[in-house]
Amino acid sequence: MKKLLLIALTLNFTLLIAQRPQGQRPNIKVTGIVIDKDSGEPLEYATLVLQSVRNPEQVTGGITNLEGVFEVEAPAGMYNISIEYISYKTFKKEKQLLRTNTDLGKIVLAIDVEQLAEIEVIAEKTTVELRLDKKIYNVGKDLTVSGGTVSDVLDNVPSVSVDVEGNVQLRGNDDVRILINGKPSAITGLNSTEALRQLPAESIEKVEVITSPSARYDAEGSGGIINIILRRSKLQGLNGAITTNLGYPNSAGINGNINYRTGDLNIFTNAGYNYRERPGNSFNDTDFFDATGTFTNSIREERAFERIRKGYNLNFGVEWYVNKTASITQSIFLRNSDNNNETTNSFFQTDNLGTTSSGFRFDPEAEDDKTFQYSFNYDKQFNGNSDHKLTFAFQYETSDESEESLIIQNDFDSESVETIVDQRRVFLQSDYVVPIGESGQFELGYRGDFNQLNTDYTVVFISPTIDELGITDPSNVLNYKETINAIYTQFGTKIKQFSFLSGLRYESTRLIINQIETGDFNRNNFDGLFPTLNLNYEFSETESIQFGYNRRIRRPRSRFLNPFPSRSSPTNLFQGNPNLTPSFSNQVDFGYLKRYKKLTLNSSIYFARATDVITFITEDTGEDTVFDGEQVSIIRRTPVNLARNDRYGFEMNTNYRPTKKWNINGNVNLFNLITRGDFNGQNFDADNLSWFVRLNNKITLPGSVDWQTRLFYRGPSETAQTKNQGIFSMSLAFSKDLFKEKASLAFNVSDVFNSRRRVSETVTPFFTSDSEFQFRVRSYNLSFTYRFNQKKKRTQGGQRDSDGGDEFEG
């Protein structure tokens, strides 16, 4: 009887199982509450992770609400349970069989003391990370740039300086290649200088300064490469930060970075809106002479700039971990800028008889910039080895810019100017990296950059007419195409204390310059081999020496090649040179690093020799224009190739921490520039010894208020035609953490003494000119940052960062 009953029960159970759809298990609910062990307060945004024991790739989970409560649905089964919260010890329960709704109850998380200590060490040690071919600077603790722009950040990075016009220089060299996340990017727009002034500083995670680039990087940029890494968290759950700022001259903005990771998906975004007013001023006093050296006339121009920058930017992406060894990342970037520039010129002219006259020119320019970028990245690791991988990157970009202005001169409509620029770019790159032996690594890759740029420049002269002015019509349409294909390979290894990375890159460049108005059509094709070598020897964990060699190229930009003039005033214009050829350079760099208990020293000696150097000269065009009834000479600024340029220098970076609450770091760069060459019978030989010094002092005052002071001085410089005086500036910043470090309030003053201005003197056989230029005046900024599920000092553990890199990462 018992046997029959057992058989009947078995049959009934089998029938019940058969009636359930194949493979489907009932859903259950997992609930609980997460609190802080010390305070007893609920932890918002803590992350619950349920990982199937049978199928580890099946992961589900959720986050806690404001009350620290979570409720997650999942199929019944056996799970490994973990609850994570940044800077807290992870709660774990393994192989838990969940058949019905389960309440995990009150889960208490304690601060991870070891992790906090690790955070403190990471935050307080020198911000320099060394690779064989680059230095990495973490910029998150720089108070003087809070609420500022990317341009402000770069101006505080060792080895880097930004002049008063916003041009970025690396060791005093303005031929710098700027990359975003390792690639050329539409984020920097058609005008990288202007774009860097509009992107918020809060979008940057770190900056890589690459003075001796490996073969992985394109050979463009004789000064080196600056690679800007954007913020992107990979922590579980929802986390991020929002910053708002107000300033004077009038400025306001809101910027945020938010990440949400659940299971195999990581969603990240950086977004913001900014409004900034940037007043500036300049003057130019020029005396003209005839062929005998006799004074003919002089013109003094006084300019006032009123610039308004407003617009939004959005970077949104999704990273999908396909499995444990592969991931796909897709992202889009949008920027829309609506800018207004009002330039007021006052002219004062004196002839050789002492007769004076004056004039007035008002140029209200409306500028609209739109940028779109789509990126696709695939990362595949083999056999679970992160050193054995294949990566592929695709990027499509569009940038459109329009500028319109109706210029008023002496209370009459003078001329209408319109510039329309559109750019389309496709970028491809694929890398294969394979380990060789215990510490070796071989890499092979391809990179393609396909760029098309169209510029429509239209000028309509109203009064006086172009015939009355007697000048060349500057209206023109330029079609410019640039195609660069590159293949490269490199090998690196480490033998005890010695490391090296050697590589070879081949680049094929094809340029097409098509002048629609004149029918001129030019092709400029050139190929090149670019070897690289980087060596490192470690005497100990605290002392090492480095050597780097690489060959670089400086290609002429489209604006440098466009022969049609663009005017900044009736008497000054810029004109490209279609006969420009690329400049090639060879560079060597010797470095020394020594770390003491409280002091870190990082020094370099470098030398570079470039041929066919692209140099800007100023000359009399030989044309005159009518100004207030008088004939006035027109001055042209144009790029030319000179014979040779030698640059050598010494650099020292120091970081000193006398106490836990006091940190000092400094950067000194001394360089000598020797130029040799002739153009149109004029000698342009010049010897220029210059330097810049940067000092940052940060101290924590009573009440946990951080105070940072930055001092910067750029020494005098000189070319064959122009002498520039030294420039000094100082910035101050104060910061206070609030709400248990969930928020920070910062106040900074940029250029305290309003002294950041360029003063120069230019001497040529036909004129002399004294000038002064101040791009922006002293400014004040107040910013407030709130962080959720994100500590002020973030850990670096537990993240797979494709932008960071190992010993041989390029």
Side-chain angles (χ1 to χ4, degrees):
M1 185 69 182
K2 289 182 178 179
K3 290 183 178 180
L4 291 173
L5 181 60
L6 179 61
I7 292 172
L9 291 174
T10 303
L11 289 173
N12 286 333
F13 181 75
T14 303
L15 290 172
L16 289 173
I17 294 295
Q19 290 173 3
R20 183 181 303 161
Q22 193 69 22
Q24 180 178 334
R25 291 174 295 164
N27 280 345
I28 62 169
K29 288 184 179 181
V30 181
T31 57
I33 181 172
V34 183
I35 63 172
D36 182 285
K37 179 181 179 181
D38 297 324
S39 66
E41 295 180 355
L43 294 178
E44 180 186 5
Y45 300 120
T47 305
L48 169 71
V49 178
L50 300 176
Q51 183 182 39
S52 171
V53 174
R54 173 183 289 182
N55 183 12
E57 294 184 1
Q58 179 184 327
V59 179
T60 187
I63 60 173
T64 58
N65 60 18
L66 291 170
E67 288 75 35
V69 175
F70 60 83
E71 181 177 308
V72 175
E73 285 193 4
M78 183 173 289
Y79 290 94
N80 292 326
I81 304 174
S82 65
I83 297 177
E84 304 173 356
Y85 193 76
I86 186 170
S87 301
Y88 284 72
K89 292 181 179 179
T90 300
F91 170 87
K92 290 185 178 180
K93 277 190 174 182
E94 296 186 349
K95 297 183 178 179
Q96 299 296 305
L97 183 59
L98 306 179
R99 292 179 175 174
T100 60
N101 294 343
T102 303
D103 184 4
L104 297 178
K106 185 180 294 184
I107 298 167
V108 179
L109 297 187
I111 292 288
D112 191 337
V113 178
E114 293 183 1
Q115 191 181 60
L116 285 181
E118 179 188 2
I119 294 172
E120 193 69 21
V121 169
I122 292 173
E124 301 299 343
K125 72 178 182 180
T126 173
T127 57
V128 181
E129 299 176 31
L130 293 182
R131 299 290 185 267
L132 271 175
D133 60 346
K134 62 187 172 186
K135 301 170 187 174
I136 304 172
Y137 297 91
N138 299 296
V139 297
K141 297 189 70 178
D142 186 1
L143 306 181
T144 60
V145 302
S146 180
T149 68
V150 172
S151 184
D152 298 323
V153 172
L154 294 180
D155 199 27
N156 208 23
V157 172
S159 306
V160 181
S161 60
V162 181
D163 66 18
V164 295
E165 294 177 304
N167 299 308
V168 179
Q169 298 181 344
L170 183 53
R171 290 177 170 176
N173 190 339
D174 62 359
D175 182 29
V176 181
R177 182 70 156 163
I178 297 178
L179 305 177
I180 305 293
N181 294 334
K183 301 183 287 292
S185 174
I187 293 178
T188 58
L190 293 168
N191 184 340
S192 61
T193 298
E194 189 61 38
L196 295 176
R197 290 194 187 113
Q198 297 189 43
L199 288 174
E202 286 75 22
S203 64
I204 293 185
E205 178 72 26
K206 57 190 174 183
V207 176
E208 298 178 345
V209 176
I210 310 171
T211 53
S212 184
S214 69
R216 174 181 298 182
Y217 294 100
D218 54 0
E220 176 74 32
S222 60
I225 293 173
I226 296 175
N227 185 25
I228 299 171
I229 306 297
L230 301 181
R231 289 192 187 278
R232 193 173 99 198
S233 172
K234 297 187 180 181
L235 297 171
Q236 285 284 350
L238 182 69
N239 63 89
I242 296 177
T243 298
T244 60
N245 66 278
L246 291 171
Y248 179 83
N250 295 336
S251 65
I254 180 168
N255 300 278
N257 63 87
I258 300 175
N259 289 75
Y260 177 67
R261 180 172 179 181
T262 176
D264 295 332
L265 289 180
N266 182 40
I267 303 171
F268 56 92
T269 181
N270 288 290
Y273 175 85
N274 289 278
Y275 174 93
R276 292 185 175 92
E277 295 181 8
R278 288 291 181 261
N281 59 84
S282 72
F283 82 82
N284 192 18
D285 198 350
T286 306
D287 293 334
F288 295 92
F289 305 91
D290 60 21
T292 64
T294 303
F295 172 79
T296 58
N297 65 295
S298 67
I299 291 182
R300 178 183 177 91
E301 298 183 43
E302 296 180 355
R303 299 186 193 180
F305 308 100
E306 294 291 339
R307 309 179 190 88
I308 297 177
R309 302 285 184 265
K310 53 185 176 180
Y312 68 84
N313 60 276
L314 169 67
N315 184 34
F316 175 82
V318 178
E319 185 173 15
W320 174 36
Y321 297 97
V322 182
N323 51 47
K324 291 183 179 180
T325 63
S327 66
I328 293 175
T329 304
Q330 298 185 78
S331 65
I332 60 171
F333 174 82
L334 301 172
R335 186 180 69 230
N336 193 325
S337 301
D338 181 12
N339 304 325
N340 291 283
N341 306 300
E342 293 186 353
T343 304
T344 303
N345 283 29
S346 297
F347 304 89
F348 305 91
Q349 178 178 291
T350 303
D351 61 20
N352 58 352
L353 299 178
T355 304
T356 62
S357 59
S358 62
F360 173 84
R361 188 175 192 261
F362 178 62
D363 183 359
E365 180 184 85
E367 179 181 338
D368 185 26
D369 298 331
K370 291 183 175 63
T371 298
F372 168 81
Q373 175 181 291
Y374 167 76
S375 298
F376 174 91
N377 293 273
Y378 174 74
D379 190 331
K380 170 64 178 176
Q381 298 176 3
F382 298 93
N383 302 319
N385 185 354
S386 61
D387 292 330
H388 187 190
K389 60 184 179 181
L390 173 69
T391 60
F392 172 77
F394 167 80
Q395 206 162 265
Y396 173 74
E397 309 167 2
T398 64
S399 298
D400 299 285
E401 177 184 289
S402 64
E403 300 174 355
E404 296 180 354
S405 62
L406 176 61
I407 298 172
I408 300 172
Q409 188 165 315
N410 297 334
D411 296 325
F412 294 97
D413 293 347
S414 173
E415 60 190 78
S416 172
V417 181
E418 182 182 40
T419 304
I420 298 176
V421 182
D422 67 89
Q423 176 177 266
R424 303 292 180 267
R425 168 178 276 173
V426 174
F427 172 85
L428 299 170
Q429 182 169 6
S430 184
D431 288 285
Y432 177 69
V433 182
V434 59
I436 297 178
E438 294 184 358
S439 58
Q441 191 177 88
F442 173 79
E443 180 175 356
L444 180 68
Y446 162 80
R447 189 164 179 160
D449 200 339
F450 312 94
N451 184 23
Q452 181 172 332
L453 180 70
N454 297 317
T455 305
D456 189 346
Y457 181 64
T458 304
V459 181
V460 178
F461 295 93
I462 302 171
S463 178
T465 65
I466 190 170
D467 294 332
E468 292 172 334
L469 289 171
I471 62 174
T472 303
D473 186 358
S475 298
N476 179 52
V477 177
L478 170 70
N479 288 345
Y480 174 83
K481 292 183 180 179
E482 179 184 64
T483 300
I484 303 172
N485 287 286
I487 55 173
Y488 55 91
T489 183
Q490 58 184 14
F491 173 75
T493 190
K494 185 174 184 179
I495 305 172
K496 294 183 178 180
Q497 296 166 287
F498 176 72
S499 304
F500 80 89
L501 178 64
S502 62
L504 181 64
R505 184 182 185 93
Y506 167 77
E507 288 191 353
S508 173
T509 304
R510 301 293 181 263
L511 301 181
I512 295 178
I513 307 159
N514 187 9
Q515 304 287 336
I516 304 300
E517 297 294 324
T518 62
D520 293 337
F521 185 88
N522 297 301
R523 292 182 182 271
N524 195 353
N525 303 332
F526 42 89
D527 303 332
L529 285 173
F530 303 93
T532 64
L533 177 65
N534 290 282
L535 310 175
N536 182 75
Y537 183 79
E538 298 178 354
F539 297 102
S540 66
E541 291 184 356
T542 60
E543 186 178 19
S544 62
I545 57 174
Q546 302 88 32
F547 168 81
Y549 163 77
N550 62 93
R551 187 171 188 250
R552 310 288 294 165
I553 185 175
R554 181 178 190 179
R555 298 181 182 89
R557 303 174 187 173
S558 61
R559 184 169 181 263
F560 295 178
L561 297 167
N562 191 352
F564 277 74
S566 58
R567 305 197 304 163
S568 58
S569 78
T571 60
N572 291 272
L573 59 85
F574 176 88
Q575 188 171 14
N577 178 3
N579 298 317
L580 279 181
T581 59
S583 173
F584 292 89
S585 62
N586 290 276
Q587 309 178 34
V588 292
D589 188 309
F590 295 90
Y592 174 73
L593 174 69
K594 176 64 177 178
R595 288 192 177 98
Y596 299 92
K597 185 175 181 180
K598 296 183 177 181
L599 176 69
T600 299
L601 300 176
N602 184 17
S603 59
S604 296
I605 299 174
Y606 55 90
F607 172 79
R609 169 165 290 183
T611 57
D612 295 325
V613 178
I614 298 175
T615 304
F616 292 92
I617 66 169
T618 305
E619 61 183 359
D620 192 332
T621 62
E623 291 186 339
D624 296 332
T625 185
V626 177
F627 175 75
D628 199 24
E630 300 290 336
Q631 293 293 117
V632 180
S633 297
I634 298 176
I635 299 173
R636 171 174 52 213
R637 187 169 182 262
T638 187
V640 300
N641 288 109
L642 293 183
R644 195 186 75 198
N645 178 299
D646 289 343
R647 177 187 297 269
Y648 57 88
F650 169 77
E651 181 179 39
M652 171 70 78
N653 298 316
T654 63
N655 189 84
Y656 176 56
R657 179 172 290 279
T659 68
K660 185 178 179 180
K661 295 184 177 182
W662 186 12
N663 186 50
I664 304 170
N665 63 71
N667 174 222
V668 179
N669 195 344
L670 175 68
F671 53 91
N672 193 26
L673 184 63
I674 302 173
T675 303
R676 298 290 181 263
D678 297 277
F679 182 77
N680 285 346
Q682 184 178 349
N683 183 265
F684 287 90
D685 291 355
D687 295 340
N688 175 30
L689 177 65
S690 188
W691 68 91
F692 65 80
V693 180
R694 180 188 288 109
L695 180 67
N696 271 298
N697 182 70
K698 185 177 180 182
I699 189 168
T700 301
L701 302 173
S704 299
V705 175
D706 289 330
W707 171 24
Q708 182 175 342
T709 304
R710 182 180 65 134
L711 304 175
F712 180 82
Y713 179 76
R714 183 196 302 273
S717 61
E718 183 176 351
T719 68
Q721 293 182 317
T722 303
K723 293 181 180 180
N724 298 302
Q725 296 183 13
I727 300 174
F728 170 79
S729 66
M730 182 177 81
S731 297
L732 297 174
F734 300 88
S735 176
K736 168 68 175 175
D737 290 337
L738 305 169
F739 311 130
K740 298 181 180 180
E741 290 196 354
K742 288 185 178 179
S744 298
L745 185 67
F747 174 74
N748 62 61
V749 184
S750 179
D751 194 10
V752 173
F753 299 109
N754 205 32
S755 56
R756 192 177 175 86
R757 62 185 70 204
R758 184 193 65 227
V759 180
S760 59
E761 177 187 10
T762 300
V763 178
T764 75
F766 298 100
F767 66 88
T768 62
S769 178
D770 295 316
S771 64
E772 184 175 307
F773 179 83
Q774 183 177 27
F775 182 80
R776 68 178 184 182
V777 299
R778 175 177 51 236
S779 62
Y780 306 86
N781 189 79
L782 179 67
S783 64
F784 176 78
T785 300
Y786 181 78
R787 293 170 288 273
F788 49 94
N789 201 11
Q790 190 180 90
K791 290 291 185 180
K792 179 183 178 184
K793 308 179 183 74
R794 295 179 304 277
T795 65
Q796 294 177 344
Q799 299 182 25
R800 185 176 67 182
D801 187 353
S802 61
D803 299 315
D806 53 26
E807 186 76 29
F808 308 109
E809 188 82 18

